[in-house]
Each structure stands twice: as C-alpha cells, then as structure tokens.
Amino acid sequence: MLFPTLAFGVFFLIVYFTAWSLDRENGRRKLFLLLASWFFYAQWDWRFVGLLIGSAVLNWAVAALIARDRERRGEAKGGGWLVGLGVAANLLILGFFKYYGFFVEEAGELLARFGWERDLPLLQIVLPVGISFFTFQGISYVVDVRRGKTPPAKSLLDVMLLMSFFPHLVAGPIVRASDLLPQFDRTPRLTREMAAHGLLLIVWGLFKKTVIASELSVNLVDPVFFDPTAYGAVDIAAAVYGYAVQIYCDFSAYSDMAIGLAALLGYSFPRNFDQPYRAASMQQFWRRWHISLSSWLRDYLYVPLGGGRKGLFASCVNVFITMVLGGLWHGAALTFLAWGALHGGVQVVERLFRAAVGDRRTVPAFVGVLVTFHIVCLGWILFRAESFGLAVQVLEGLGRAGPAVMLTPLLLTLIAGGLAMHWLPPRAVEGMAERLKTAPSITLGLLVGAAVLLVEAVRPEGVAPFIYFQF
C-alpha cells in the first residue's frame, strides 16, 4: 500500500477519524494504531508481521533486562553483555534476510578460484520491506537504554508501536525512542499549526514523488541505465543528473509524507532532509541527506569505533569504515560497498585537507558545492547501476558523441527545478504553515484540495514503489 494511492487515502482517513475518536483513551488509541500499522505492513506480505512482532518483543525484553541489571549492579556498570546480545540478535535477523544470499554467492566464487567448488546451500529468501529501518530502530532503543539516554518503555505496547508505527515503518525516518516514547506517554493534541504543516508536507511530498521523480524515472533514468551503450553523452549526463533529482525527490517525498501523516495524528518526527545538494563538502552532505541514518551511523557506529578521540588517523579510519558499512546497509552488492567507500574516501581527504590548511578558506563556497555535487553524482552512478559493468558503461558513455534522443524540454525543466528547490528558503514549508495556521479551516481545505487535484492532473499514470523500500 503506497502513500500516493487511493487505497492508502481511504486507509488513512479511517485511521485518522478512529484515532481521534479515541483521544481520551490513550491506551486504546495506541493499540488501534498498532493494529492499523500491522494491517498496513501486511499489505506487502502478511507473513512478516510475525517478524515485526518478534523483533519488538526481543528488543523490549532485552531493554527491560538491561534496565534491571543496571539498577542491580550500578548505573554505569550494568547491562554491558546484554546490549551486546541484543545488538547481535538484531544484526543476525538483518544479516539472514538481507545478506545471506550475497555472502553465499561470494563465498562460492572465492572457493571456485582456489579449485574448491562446493554446492553451498543457497536459499530463496524474500526480503521483508523496511527490515533495515525497524532493525536499526530496535538497536538504537536497546543501546540508548544501556547508555541511560532513554528509560525503558513502560509497556510492550509502546515498543511495538515504536517499531511498527506505519508512517515511518518501511522507509524511515529512523525515529529514536527518546523522541517518540515520551509522545506515546501523553495523549496527543492536534494544533492548527501541526495540521497545516502536515497537510502541506503531504502535498509537497506528493508532488515530488508523483510528478518529478516518476516522470524522470520512467522517461529518462530507467531507459538510459538499462542500456547505456544506446545513448550519447547528453542523454547519459541528463540521466545521471536526473537520477540525482529523482532519488532526492523520491526519498525526501516519503519522509515529508511520513512526517506530515504523523503530524496529523498528533506526533512529531524529526526532519530527515535539509537541501543536501547545496552542501559544500561531503561531511556537510551527510548532515543534510537522510539525517536520521547519518546521525544513527555517527552515534551507534562511528562513536563506538572511537570517533575522533584518538587523533586524525584514527578518525579517518573510523569514518571510512562507517561509510563502507553504511554502503553495505543499503544493499548486498559490491556496487553499494564501492559507493560507501567513495563517500568515506572523500571524507578522509577532506579531513586531511582541513588538518593541513586549518580554518583558512582556500576554496570559494560555490566551488565546494559544485565539486561535492558532482562527486555525489559519481556515487549515484554506482548506486543506481545494477553492476560494475553497467556503471563503467555509463562513465564511458559520458565521452561518447551522439544525438540527444531522450532529453526533452519537460525533463530538463524537472531536473532544473529539482536542483533549484535546494535554494528555496530553508524552512519554506514551515513558514507557509505558520502563515496558514490562522486561516479558516474551509480556506485551508480548499487550498489543499486544489493542490492535490493539480498534482493529480499533471502526474503520469501509475505509482512506482519508493526507491528506499528495497532497503
């Protein structure tokens, strides 16, 4: 069930009116939202609802045991081995479903090179939608309980809802327990500003996904990346820039709609994108792109590895390892590892450069933006290509002459517009919501309705799944 569909619209209206009819019964309200979230998830594959429940029970139990052990042995001492057990269990679940086939195939190829061919047990495993997101959610919960950053949830219901809440379930943002559990403890309230903000985010996300991302995907990016040898440099360059816009509009649209849907139900999610293509360095890019994941990698991987506490060399090694593992999180393929290594390697170069020149600005900001954007685009080629061979064909095609057969004025306008939106006022939607919060409800409803009808009129047929559903 995709957000920009009639089926989801009907589902959400039922959830919205039922949830607010239970606003004086917070326990029943949370139970209803949990059941609705399981129904939502079951529309992809009902069999994995059990996995979702089991994962929540696992993390609830481990966190409760950690809290009890900390209380018994002392605030700073307890729960060490338990948190290790909890993290390992979560990673085992993720590793089995997401990486089993990859490692078996790689192991088979490695054995074959040494003349030790073996028939390894290769299973056909279905990847549960959103497993990376709810697994990381569970890990952050048990680690934060161990660190004392959040108390254990008061009930199993809260942990289940934390991990299953349908707006962020399948593609994030990765909402921390310290942000969401306190909101579950109190009866939510819907203010006019929250309603205006939520509705505007939903409409804005709907436009980015169904108009910009879908049009670029179907009519430019997918055909060119399917067979790069059939196109010249202009079309291939347009497809690379088009994919940069497509993946931003696709993923940020999901985050916008998730934040907006949660707001309409009375809950606040953190911002997940902040105009990433205006970043002047790769470090800045990761502070603006998929913020919930980059902060997760920082807090639960980079910092435990040692962060920058042991000097420049150690910090470079740690950031490189973090980005390579971040690449592997995105998919079980060597192209994703290479994508992570590219981002990590560039950040290492940036750190060494800053250490050499200090605080002196040696490069104009706009040059940093241009260089960073094109490095990111180089990475997107690895990210989008099905194999290294296709990625190489795309790069070779950038030097091949040929007529532009795919690029049209409409596609060029969408690419330019998708990049230009990074130079809008940084909080444009919030500012508009602030202005509209005093408007009469009928006025707000008419404006939102007109915007939805306009998007519906100009968008192409059908709705493709969000790119990040595969992760």
Side-chain angles (χ1 to χ4, degrees), residues 177-221:
S178 56
D179 289 329
L180 203 48
L181 287 181
Q183 297 185 60
F184 289 159
D185 284 341
R186 58 181 182 267
T187 302
R189 291 289 180 264
L190 181 62
T191 66
R192 292 182 65 86
E193 186 173 359
M194 289 176 65
H197 187 213
L199 289 169
L200 289 176
L201 280 175
I202 291 169
V203 173
W204 182 229
L206 190 67
F207 172 75
K208 287 193 290 184
K209 168 60 179 174
T210 62
V211 177
I212 300 179
S214 293
E215 187 74 33
L216 288 172
S217 172
V218 172
N219 294 315
L220 178 63
V221 176

Side-chain angles (χ1 to χ4, degrees), residues 225-273:
F225 273 87
F226 179 76
D227 184 12
T229 60
Y231 301 96
V234 174
D235 282 335
I236 290 180
V240 173
Y241 291 139
Y243 185 66
V245 173
Q246 179 202 342
I247 193 170
Y248 167 72
C249 287
D250 188 286
F251 193 18
S252 67
Y254 185 94
S255 293
D256 287 345
M257 286 189 275
I259 296 168
L261 293 167
L264 292 180
L265 292 172
Y267 302 105
S268 175
F269 284 0
R271 187 183 182 92
N272 206 29
F273 287 86

Side-chain angles (χ1 to χ4, degrees), residues 106 159 177 246 291 311 326 455 463:
E106 292 300 317
V159 177
Q246 179 202 342
I291 299 168
V455 170
V463 180

